[in-house]
Amino acid sequence: MKKILFIASILSFCILSFCSEKSSDAESKTEAQNKDFEIVKYNNPKTTSFLGVGLWAWPLPMDYDGDGDMDMLVSCPDKPFNGLYFFENTTGEDFPDFAPPVRLGDAIKNVQISHTEEGIKVNVPGAELVDFKEKLGSEEHVLFNAEELKKGFEKVRFNQWKMVDYDGDDDLDVIVGIDDWADYGWDNAFNEQGVWVNGPLHGFVFLLENVEGKYLNRGRLEAGGKMIDVYGAPSPNFADYDGDGDLDLICGEFLDRMTYFENTGTRENPRYKEGVFLKNETGLIRMDLEMIIPVAVDWDQDGHVDLVVGDEDGRVALIKNTGSLKDNVPQFDSPKYFRQQSDNLKFGALATPVSVDWDNDGDEDIITGNSAGYFAFIENLGGGDKPSWEEPKLLEADGKPIRIQADENGSIQGPAEAKWGYTTLSVADWDGDGNKDIVFNSIWGKIEWIRNTGSVLEAPQPIKVNRGKETATNPEWNWWNSAQDELVTQWRTTPVAIDWDSDGVMDLVMLDHEGYLSFFKGVNDNGQQAILPGKRIFYGEGTSVFTNKDKAENDESGPLRLNNAEAGGSGRRKIAVVDWDNDGDLDLLVNSVNVSLFENISQEPEKVVFIHKGPLSEKVLAGHTTSPTVVDWNKDGEWEVLAGAEDGHFYHFQR
């Protein structure tokens, strides 16, 4: 009865709020609730997708539901898809299409799983998570003071605890992987030749020996007569990989490889040979991205210990142990990424979508980049305001996927970011031939374009700049300089290709080398599309200087500087240009905690004034960044927002 009365009272309140002219506060609250971002679904039961969480997968492979097959739990510590997720194996197969993710709770930071003779053990720094399947980390049993192991290290990012009977004495010891970033520093440490002058990442492995139930620190383990030191994030995994009865060691790293340390001693007295990278007939075994988290488990129960490995973009792969040896090194297959029944539309991490009818069939598709440096076409299969989507298809040139990567010296933040590309883009007919081309920026800060011939895509080429006698500009922290006719600006910021001045030639609107929003006028140079050097014609009213996370840094009007940071903090602004308020001029949608509006309040050829209106919603989509584009899926003539998020998912905002 109380429940009925409560519901009735709520309904009465809503009716009164709707009818009364004095209910502005309630109406505003309802409006705010309606204005929110919702994750975009595949809406396509006929397709499958890669098993994936958001940014950064920490896998916990286990038979979670007790039905005899291997399920997958994954902890995802980032925003906005933070959580501990359960992917059920519904078929019992070794490589199933897992069920969509079910959120079990919040993410568990630095969580690790060990498959031991006593069963699964799940650990966080300093503790075992008791009865994990039932309590999911709510109860800890302290094993050792985790802070003690960190003494002497200045900058620890990975702190990974595992359990194993290290010395064959029938009790479980603790193995700890700790990294240190102190030598590496972080930012802007290349010399003029492009050589990183700071140190490498370090990754060490400690043994805490179980002596009558107490854990004694035996220090760092050695291999080949020297301390084990891999390239960050060591993720240590002990198992008998080569089938000789003792325990060997495989470590991961912050990048994409795994190192094998053979035990040349005995089960009771291990001695480790110098490490070698795992490889097979195709070469080094590498993950597609980095920040990898390998876990040792006999996944297919064939008697050979495999590796289940989490990747930076939220995917998880199986690296199968074939059971064979070559030069006494176990042979593994190349990574094979697990699949799931399609659920949330996703493309890697830090997705950067543009809505466009790419295939000319009358609906809005998505062309998108991501942190891995790929480009993809996501086909809209129809469905009106709730489109059905095809799985992302990598765009190719010359028969292979187009991929931009930093390699050793393309990221201002150093060689630890070698696998990242951070492609961000717009789509327009850049060369005027009637076909939609792709104009993009990346981790390098080079503005390039991919020509669409109508039948194939060509390899990326630089946007041409007509400078005359003016010297080329580059961010002052770049170790390299652009060519005189190339445009190099700040990294990871959108080049908006648009005919801003309506003269029939494509222009660029984007951040310049110092973070000011600038107009790069398009010109025709002997039949080729080119641009002129940028002009700072855009101004902010009341506030004109911002951080890369959309925080105002002053209270003065002036040239609009969307990022005042330097080096690794520079760039990072994702922009869409649209008449958001339907008043006949072009406004800006810019990344923020979700997406912020800069309203155009005054426009002349040499001065365009914007006022910062702030985020469209209170919902947090960004740990680092988002990337907006506009859509009109319901075809009502009102623009909606589609935001690519850090977790690789897409979020739809309909007003």
Side-chain angles (χ1 to χ4, degrees), residues 128-178:
E128 178 186 352
L129 302 182
V130 179
D131 195 10
F132 180 77
K133 289 185 181 180
E134 296 297 324
K135 299 179 179 179
L136 295 174
S138 63
E139 183 178 340
E140 294 185 1
H141 171 59
V142 175
L143 303 175
F144 192 84
N145 183 357
E147 293 302 312
E148 181 178 324
L149 282 188
K150 292 170 62 177
K151 290 179 180 178
F153 298 119
E154 296 181 28
K155 192 174 183 180
V156 173
R157 295 187 65 186
F158 287 73
N159 193 357
Q160 303 165 300
W161 291 55
K162 296 214 170 189
M163 302 189 78
V164 65
D165 182 3
Y166 175 80
D167 48 12
D169 61 356
D170 297 324
D171 57 26
L172 291 179
D173 310 295
V174 173
I175 301 297
V176 183
I178 289 182

Short mmCIF file of all heavy atoms in Angstrom, two decimals, residues 128-178:
data_model
loop_
_atom_site.label_atom_id
_atom_site.label_comp_id
_atom_site.label_asym_id
_atom_site.label_seq_id
_atom_site.Cartn_x
_atom_site.Cartn_y
_atom_site.Cartn_z
N GLU A 128 45.81 -10.86 -0.56
CA GLU A 128 45.01 -11.80 -1.34
C GLU A 128 43.55 -11.43 -1.17
O GLU A 128 43.10 -11.08 -0.07
CB GLU A 128 45.24 -13.24 -0.86
CG GLU A 128 44.41 -14.26 -1.59
CD GLU A 128 44.51 -15.67 -1.02
OE1 GLU A 128 45.35 -15.89 -0.14
OE2 GLU A 128 43.72 -16.53 -1.47
N LEU A 129 42.79 -11.49 -2.26
CA LEU A 129 41.36 -11.24 -2.21
C LEU A 129 40.66 -12.55 -1.86
O LEU A 129 40.68 -13.51 -2.63
CB LEU A 129 40.86 -10.68 -3.54
CG LEU A 129 41.53 -9.38 -3.99
CD1 LEU A 129 40.93 -8.88 -5.30
CD2 LEU A 129 41.43 -8.31 -2.92
N VAL A 130 40.09 -12.60 -0.68
CA VAL A 130 39.55 -13.84 -0.12
C VAL A 130 38.26 -14.24 -0.82
O VAL A 130 37.38 -13.40 -1.07
CB VAL A 130 39.31 -13.65 1.39
CG1 VAL A 130 38.71 -14.93 2.00
CG2 VAL A 130 40.60 -13.28 2.10
N ASP A 131 38.16 -15.55 -1.13
CA ASP A 131 36.93 -16.11 -1.70
C ASP A 131 36.43 -15.22 -2.83
O ASP A 131 35.29 -14.74 -2.83
CB ASP A 131 35.87 -16.26 -0.61
CG ASP A 131 34.71 -17.15 -1.03
OD1 ASP A 131 34.82 -17.80 -2.10
OD2 ASP A 131 33.70 -17.18 -0.32
N PHE A 132 37.28 -15.05 -3.83
CA PHE A 132 37.06 -14.01 -4.83
C PHE A 132 35.76 -14.19 -5.60
O PHE A 132 35.04 -13.21 -5.85
CB PHE A 132 38.22 -13.97 -5.82
CG PHE A 132 38.07 -12.91 -6.87
CD1 PHE A 132 38.31 -11.58 -6.58
CD2 PHE A 132 37.65 -13.23 -8.16
CE1 PHE A 132 38.15 -10.59 -7.53
CE2 PHE A 132 37.49 -12.24 -9.12
CZ PHE A 132 37.75 -10.92 -8.81
N LYS A 133 35.42 -15.40 -5.99
CA LYS A 133 34.22 -15.60 -6.80
C LYS A 133 32.96 -15.13 -6.09
O LYS A 133 32.02 -14.64 -6.72
CB LYS A 133 34.08 -17.07 -7.19
CG LYS A 133 35.09 -17.56 -8.21
CD LYS A 133 34.78 -18.99 -8.60
CE LYS A 133 35.78 -19.53 -9.62
NZ LYS A 133 35.47 -20.92 -10.00
N GLU A 134 32.93 -15.26 -4.79
CA GLU A 134 31.76 -14.87 -4.02
C GLU A 134 31.82 -13.41 -3.58
O GLU A 134 30.83 -12.69 -3.62
CB GLU A 134 31.61 -15.77 -2.79
CG GLU A 134 31.34 -17.23 -3.12
CD GLU A 134 30.02 -17.43 -3.86
OE1 GLU A 134 29.05 -16.69 -3.55
OE2 GLU A 134 29.95 -18.30 -4.74
N LYS A 135 33.03 -12.96 -3.20
CA LYS A 135 33.13 -11.65 -2.56
C LYS A 135 33.71 -10.58 -3.48
O LYS A 135 33.67 -9.39 -3.14
CB LYS A 135 33.97 -11.77 -1.30
CG LYS A 135 33.36 -12.73 -0.28
CD LYS A 135 34.21 -12.86 0.98
CE LYS A 135 33.53 -13.79 1.98
NZ LYS A 135 34.36 -13.96 3.20
N LEU A 136 34.27 -10.97 -4.61
CA LEU A 136 34.72 -10.03 -5.65
C LEU A 136 35.58 -8.89 -5.11
O LEU A 136 35.44 -7.74 -5.50
CB LEU A 136 33.52 -9.47 -6.40
CG LEU A 136 32.70 -10.48 -7.21
CD1 LEU A 136 31.46 -9.83 -7.80
CD2 LEU A 136 33.55 -11.10 -8.31
N GLY A 137 36.48 -9.25 -4.20
CA GLY A 137 37.45 -8.28 -3.73
C GLY A 137 37.02 -7.49 -2.52
O GLY A 137 37.74 -6.59 -2.08
N SER A 138 35.86 -7.80 -1.96
CA SER A 138 35.38 -7.03 -0.80
C SER A 138 36.11 -7.39 0.48
O SER A 138 36.05 -6.64 1.46
CB SER A 138 33.88 -7.25 -0.61
OG SER A 138 33.59 -8.60 -0.33
N GLU A 139 36.82 -8.51 0.49
CA GLU A 139 37.57 -8.91 1.68
C GLU A 139 39.01 -9.22 1.30
O GLU A 139 39.26 -9.98 0.36
CB GLU A 139 36.93 -10.15 2.33
CG GLU A 139 37.61 -10.59 3.61
CD GLU A 139 36.94 -11.78 4.26
OE1 GLU A 139 35.75 -12.04 3.96
OE2 GLU A 139 37.61 -12.48 5.07
N GLU A 140 39.94 -8.63 2.03
CA GLU A 140 41.37 -8.82 1.77
C GLU A 140 42.05 -9.51 2.94
O GLU A 140 41.72 -9.26 4.10
CB GLU A 140 42.06 -7.47 1.53
CG GLU A 140 41.62 -6.74 0.29
CD GLU A 140 42.42 -5.47 0.05
OE1 GLU A 140 43.33 -5.18 0.87
OE2 GLU A 140 42.16 -4.77 -0.94
N HIS A 141 42.99 -10.38 2.62
CA HIS A 141 43.88 -10.96 3.62
C HIS A 141 45.27 -10.40 3.37
O HIS A 141 45.89 -10.68 2.34
CB HIS A 141 43.90 -12.48 3.52
CG HIS A 141 44.95 -13.13 4.37
ND1 HIS A 141 45.01 -12.98 5.74
CD2 HIS A 141 46.00 -13.93 4.04
CE1 HIS A 141 46.03 -13.65 6.22
NE2 HIS A 141 46.66 -14.24 5.22
N VAL A 142 45.77 -9.59 4.30
CA VAL A 142 47.05 -8.92 4.11
C VAL A 142 48.18 -9.94 4.19
O VAL A 142 48.23 -10.77 5.10
CB VAL A 142 47.25 -7.82 5.17
CG1 VAL A 142 48.64 -7.21 5.05
CG2 VAL A 142 46.19 -6.74 5.01
N LEU A 143 49.09 -9.86 3.22
CA LEU A 143 50.23 -10.77 3.15
C LEU A 143 51.54 -10.09 3.52
O LEU A 143 52.42 -10.71 4.13
CB LEU A 143 50.35 -11.34 1.73
CG LEU A 143 49.13 -12.08 1.17
CD1 LEU A 143 49.37 -12.47 -0.28
CD2 LEU A 143 48.81 -13.31 2.00
N PHE A 144 51.66 -8.82 3.13
CA PHE A 144 52.94 -8.13 3.28
C PHE A 144 52.69 -6.64 3.11
O PHE A 144 51.75 -6.24 2.41
CB PHE A 144 53.94 -8.64 2.22
CG PHE A 144 55.37 -8.25 2.43
CD1 PHE A 144 56.19 -9.00 3.27
CD2 PHE A 144 55.90 -7.13 1.81
CE1 PHE A 144 57.52 -8.64 3.47
CE2 PHE A 144 57.21 -6.77 2.00
CZ PHE A 144 58.03 -7.53 2.83
N ASN A 145 53.51 -5.82 3.70
CA ASN A 145 53.40 -4.38 3.55
C ASN A 145 53.84 -3.97 2.14
O ASN A 145 55.04 -3.96 1.84
CB ASN A 145 54.24 -3.67 4.60
CG ASN A 145 54.11 -2.16 4.54
OD1 ASN A 145 53.42 -1.61 3.66
ND2 ASN A 145 54.77 -1.47 5.45
N ALA A 146 52.88 -3.63 1.30
CA ALA A 146 53.20 -3.33 -0.10
C ALA A 146 54.09 -2.11 -0.22
O ALA A 146 54.90 -2.02 -1.15
CB ALA A 146 51.90 -3.13 -0.89
N GLU A 147 53.95 -1.16 0.69
CA GLU A 147 54.76 0.06 0.61
C GLU A 147 56.23 -0.22 0.83
O GLU A 147 57.09 0.51 0.33
CB GLU A 147 54.25 1.09 1.61
CG GLU A 147 52.86 1.62 1.29
CD GLU A 147 52.79 2.27 -0.08
OE1 GLU A 147 53.69 3.08 -0.41
OE2 GLU A 147 51.85 1.94 -0.83
N GLU A 148 56.54 -1.26 1.59
CA GLU A 148 57.94 -1.58 1.87
C GLU A 148 58.70 -1.92 0.59
O GLU A 148 59.86 -1.54 0.42
CB GLU A 148 58.03 -2.74 2.86
CG GLU A 148 59.46 -3.12 3.24
CD GLU A 148 59.52 -4.24 4.25
OE1 GLU A 148 58.65 -4.28 5.14
OE2 GLU A 148 60.45 -5.08 4.15
N LEU A 149 58.03 -2.64 -0.32
CA LEU A 149 58.70 -3.02 -1.57
C LEU A 149 58.94 -1.82 -2.48
O LEU A 149 59.83 -1.86 -3.33
CB LEU A 149 57.88 -4.07 -2.33
CG LEU A 149 57.95 -5.50 -1.84
CD1 LEU A 149 57.24 -6.42 -2.83
CD2 LEU A 149 59.38 -5.97 -1.65
N LYS A 150 58.16 -0.78 -2.30
CA LYS A 150 58.28 0.39 -3.17
C LYS A 150 59.36 1.37 -2.72
O LYS A 150 59.66 2.33 -3.43
CB LYS A 150 56.94 1.12 -3.25
CG LYS A 150 55.86 0.32 -3.97
CD LYS A 150 54.49 0.95 -3.82
CE LYS A 150 54.39 2.31 -4.41
NZ LYS A 150 53.02 2.88 -4.31
N LYS A 151 59.95 1.10 -1.55
CA LYS A 151 60.99 2.00 -1.05
C LYS A 151 62.18 2.01 -2.02
O LYS A 151 62.63 0.97 -2.49
CB LYS A 151 61.46 1.57 0.33
CG LYS A 151 60.42 1.80 1.43
CD LYS A 151 60.93 1.34 2.78
CE LYS A 151 59.89 1.58 3.87
NZ LYS A 151 60.37 1.10 5.19
N GLY A 152 62.67 3.19 -2.30
CA GLY A 152 63.79 3.32 -3.23
C GLY A 152 63.37 3.58 -4.65
O GLY A 152 64.21 3.91 -5.49
N PHE A 153 62.08 3.39 -4.94
CA PHE A 153 61.56 3.68 -6.27
C PHE A 153 60.87 5.04 -6.25
O PHE A 153 60.12 5.36 -5.32
CB PHE A 153 60.58 2.62 -6.74
CG PHE A 153 61.19 1.25 -6.86
CD1 PHE A 153 60.71 0.19 -6.09
CD2 PHE A 153 62.25 1.02 -7.71
CE1 PHE A 153 61.27 -1.06 -6.20
CE2 PHE A 153 62.82 -0.25 -7.82
CZ PHE A 153 62.33 -1.29 -7.06
N GLU A 154 61.09 5.83 -7.29
CA GLU A 154 60.54 7.18 -7.32
C GLU A 154 59.18 7.26 -8.01
O GLU A 154 58.35 8.09 -7.65
CB GLU A 154 61.52 8.12 -8.03
CG GLU A 154 62.84 8.29 -7.31
CD GLU A 154 63.75 9.25 -8.05
OE1 GLU A 154 63.24 10.15 -8.75
OE2 GLU A 154 64.97 9.11 -7.95
N LYS A 155 58.96 6.40 -8.99
CA LYS A 155 57.74 6.53 -9.77
C LYS A 155 57.25 5.15 -10.21
O LYS A 155 57.61 4.65 -11.27
CB LYS A 155 57.97 7.43 -11.00
CG LYS A 155 56.68 7.85 -11.70
CD LYS A 155 56.97 8.86 -12.80
CE LYS A 155 55.68 9.33 -13.45
NZ LYS A 155 55.92 10.30 -14.53
N VAL A 156 56.43 4.54 -9.37
CA VAL A 156 55.89 3.21 -9.64
C VAL A 156 54.50 3.35 -10.25
O VAL A 156 53.64 4.03 -9.69
CB VAL A 156 55.82 2.37 -8.35
CG1 VAL A 156 55.10 1.05 -8.61
CG2 VAL A 156 57.22 2.12 -7.81
N ARG A 157 54.30 2.72 -11.38
CA ARG A 157 52.97 2.72 -12.02
C ARG A 157 52.33 1.33 -11.99
O ARG A 157 51.12 1.21 -11.95
CB ARG A 157 53.07 3.22 -13.46
CG ARG A 157 53.49 4.68 -13.58
CD ARG A 157 53.42 5.18 -15.01
NE ARG A 157 52.06 5.20 -15.53
CZ ARG A 157 51.75 5.49 -16.79
NH1 ARG A 157 52.71 5.74 -17.66
NH2 ARG A 157 50.50 5.51 -17.20
N PHE A 158 53.13 0.28 -12.06
CA PHE A 158 52.62 -1.10 -12.02
C PHE A 158 53.15 -1.77 -10.76
O PHE A 158 54.35 -1.70 -10.46
CB PHE A 158 53.09 -1.89 -13.24
CG PHE A 158 52.40 -1.50 -14.52
CD1 PHE A 158 52.69 -0.30 -15.14
CD2 PHE A 158 51.46 -2.34 -15.11
CE1 PHE A 158 52.08 0.07 -16.32
CE2 PHE A 158 50.84 -1.97 -16.29
CZ PHE A 158 51.15 -0.76 -16.89
N ASN A 159 52.23 -2.43 -10.04
CA ASN A 159 52.57 -3.12 -8.81
C ASN A 159 51.75 -4.41 -8.80
O ASN A 159 50.60 -4.42 -8.40
CB ASN A 159 52.24 -2.22 -7.62
CG ASN A 159 52.85 -2.71 -6.32
OD1 ASN A 159 53.48 -3.76 -6.27
ND2 ASN A 159 52.63 -1.95 -5.26
N GLN A 160 52.35 -5.50 -9.27
CA GLN A 160 51.61 -6.71 -9.63
C GLN A 160 52.04 -7.88 -8.75
O GLN A 160 53.19 -8.30 -8.77
CB GLN A 160 51.87 -7.03 -11.11
CG GLN A 160 51.51 -5.87 -12.04
CD GLN A 160 52.10 -6.04 -13.43
OE1 GLN A 160 53.31 -6.13 -13.60
NE2 GLN A 160 51.24 -6.09 -14.43
N TRP A 161 51.08 -8.42 -8.00
CA TRP A 161 51.34 -9.47 -7.01
C TRP A 161 50.70 -10.77 -7.47
O TRP A 161 49.52 -10.80 -7.84
CB TRP A 161 50.79 -9.06 -5.65
CG TRP A 161 51.55 -7.91 -5.04
CD1 TRP A 161 51.78 -6.69 -5.59
CD2 TRP A 161 52.16 -7.90 -3.75
NE1 TRP A 161 52.52 -5.91 -4.73
CE2 TRP A 161 52.76 -6.62 -3.59
CE3 TRP A 161 52.27 -8.82 -2.72
CZ2 TRP A 161 53.45 -6.26 -2.44
CZ3 TRP A 161 52.95 -8.47 -1.57
CH2 TRP A 161 53.54 -7.20 -1.43
N LYS A 162 51.51 -11.85 -7.41
CA LYS A 162 51.02 -13.17 -7.79
C LYS A 162 51.47 -14.19 -6.75
O LYS A 162 52.38 -13.93 -5.96
CB LYS A 162 51.54 -13.56 -9.17
CG LYS A 162 51.06 -12.67 -10.29
CD LYS A 162 50.87 -13.45 -11.56
CE LYS A 162 50.17 -12.61 -12.60
NZ LYS A 162 49.79 -13.40 -13.77
N MET A 163 50.84 -15.37 -6.79
CA MET A 163 51.19 -16.44 -5.85
C MET A 163 51.57 -17.69 -6.62
O MET A 163 50.95 -18.04 -7.63
CB MET A 163 50.03 -16.72 -4.90
CG MET A 163 49.59 -15.50 -4.10
SD MET A 163 48.40 -15.82 -2.78
CE MET A 163 49.49 -16.49 -1.52
N VAL A 164 52.63 -18.36 -6.12
CA VAL A 164 53.12 -19.58 -6.75
C VAL A 164 54.01 -20.30 -5.75
O VAL A 164 54.64 -19.66 -4.89
CB VAL A 164 53.92 -19.25 -8.03
CG1 VAL A 164 55.19 -18.47 -7.72
CG2 VAL A 164 54.25 -20.51 -8.83
N ASP A 165 54.03 -21.62 -5.83
CA ASP A 165 54.99 -22.38 -5.02
C ASP A 165 56.34 -22.30 -5.74
O ASP A 165 56.71 -23.16 -6.52
CB ASP A 165 54.54 -23.83 -4.88
CG ASP A 165 55.48 -24.65 -4.01
OD1 ASP A 165 56.46 -24.08 -3.47
OD2 ASP A 165 55.25 -25.87 -3.88
N TYR A 166 57.05 -21.23 -5.45
CA TYR A 166 58.27 -20.90 -6.19
C TYR A 166 59.34 -21.97 -6.05
O TYR A 166 60.03 -22.31 -7.02
CB TYR A 166 58.80 -19.55 -5.70
CG TYR A 166 60.12 -19.14 -6.29
CD1 TYR A 166 60.19 -18.58 -7.57
CD2 TYR A 166 61.32 -19.31 -5.59
CE1 TYR A 166 61.39 -18.21 -8.13
CE2 TYR A 166 62.53 -18.94 -6.14
CZ TYR A 166 62.57 -18.38 -7.40
OH TYR A 166 63.77 -18.02 -7.95
N ASP A 167 59.51 -22.52 -4.84
CA ASP A 167 60.63 -23.42 -4.57
C ASP A 167 60.23 -24.85 -4.29
O ASP A 167 61.02 -25.64 -3.76
CB ASP A 167 61.47 -22.88 -3.40
CG ASP A 167 60.61 -22.48 -2.21
OD1 ASP A 167 59.41 -22.84 -2.20
OD2 ASP A 167 61.12 -21.80 -1.31
N GLY A 168 59.01 -25.23 -4.62
CA GLY A 168 58.58 -26.61 -4.52
C GLY A 168 58.50 -27.17 -3.12
O GLY A 168 58.65 -28.38 -2.92
N ASP A 169 58.22 -26.31 -2.12
CA ASP A 169 58.15 -26.80 -0.73
C ASP A 169 56.71 -26.89 -0.24
O ASP A 169 56.46 -26.95 0.96
CB ASP A 169 58.97 -25.91 0.19
CG ASP A 169 58.47 -24.46 0.23
OD1 ASP A 169 57.53 -24.14 -0.53
OD2 ASP A 169 59.02 -23.66 1.00
N ASP A 170 55.77 -26.90 -1.16
CA ASP A 170 54.35 -27.13 -0.88
C ASP A 170 53.65 -26.00 -0.14
O ASP A 170 52.62 -26.22 0.51
CB ASP A 170 54.15 -28.45 -0.11
CG ASP A 170 54.57 -29.66 -0.92
OD1 ASP A 170 54.37 -29.64 -2.15
OD2 ASP A 170 55.13 -30.61 -0.33
N ASP A 171 54.20 -24.80 -0.23
CA ASP A 171 53.43 -23.65 0.22
C ASP A 171 53.53 -22.56 -0.84
O ASP A 171 54.40 -22.60 -1.71
CB ASP A 171 53.88 -23.14 1.59
CG ASP A 171 55.35 -22.77 1.64
OD1 ASP A 171 55.93 -22.43 0.59
OD2 ASP A 171 55.94 -22.82 2.74
N LEU A 172 52.63 -21.61 -0.78
CA LEU A 172 52.59 -20.58 -1.81
C LEU A 172 53.40 -19.35 -1.39
O LEU A 172 53.15 -18.76 -0.34
CB LEU A 172 51.14 -20.17 -2.09
CG LEU A 172 50.26 -21.22 -2.78
CD1 LEU A 172 48.85 -20.68 -2.96
CD2 LEU A 172 50.86 -21.63 -4.12
N ASP A 173 54.35 -19.01 -2.24
CA ASP A 173 55.13 -17.80 -2.07
C ASP A 173 54.46 -16.67 -2.86
O ASP A 173 53.48 -16.88 -3.57
CB ASP A 173 56.56 -18.03 -2.56
CG ASP A 173 57.17 -19.29 -1.96
OD1 ASP A 173 57.37 -19.31 -0.74
OD2 ASP A 173 57.42 -20.25 -2.72
N VAL A 174 55.00 -15.47 -2.74
CA VAL A 174 54.47 -14.32 -3.46
C VAL A 174 55.54 -13.79 -4.40
O VAL A 174 56.70 -13.64 -4.02
CB VAL A 174 54.01 -13.21 -2.49
CG1 VAL A 174 53.61 -11.96 -3.26
CG2 VAL A 174 52.84 -13.70 -1.64
N ILE A 175 55.12 -13.54 -5.63
CA ILE A 175 56.00 -12.92 -6.63
C ILE A 175 55.43 -11.54 -6.94
O ILE A 175 54.22 -11.40 -7.17
CB ILE A 175 56.06 -13.76 -7.91
CG1 ILE A 175 56.59 -15.17 -7.60
CG2 ILE A 175 56.93 -13.09 -8.97
CD1 ILE A 175 58.01 -15.21 -7.07
N VAL A 176 56.30 -10.55 -6.96
CA VAL A 176 55.84 -9.18 -7.18
C VAL A 176 56.58 -8.56 -8.37
O VAL A 176 57.81 -8.60 -8.42
CB VAL A 176 56.06 -8.30 -5.93
CG1 VAL A 176 55.51 -6.89 -6.17
CG2 VAL A 176 55.41 -8.92 -4.71
N GLY A 177 55.81 -8.02 -9.30
CA GLY A 177 56.39 -7.26 -10.39
C GLY A 177 56.19 -5.77 -10.13
O GLY A 177 55.06 -5.32 -9.92
N ILE A 178 57.28 -5.03 -10.10
CA ILE A 178 57.22 -3.59 -9.86
C ILE A 178 58.01 -2.88 -10.94
O ILE A 178 59.12 -3.31 -11.29
CB ILE A 178 57.79 -3.22 -8.48
CG1 ILE A 178 56.85 -3.69 -7.36
CG2 ILE A 178 58.01 -1.71 -8.35
CD1 ILE A 178 57.31 -3.32 -5.98
#
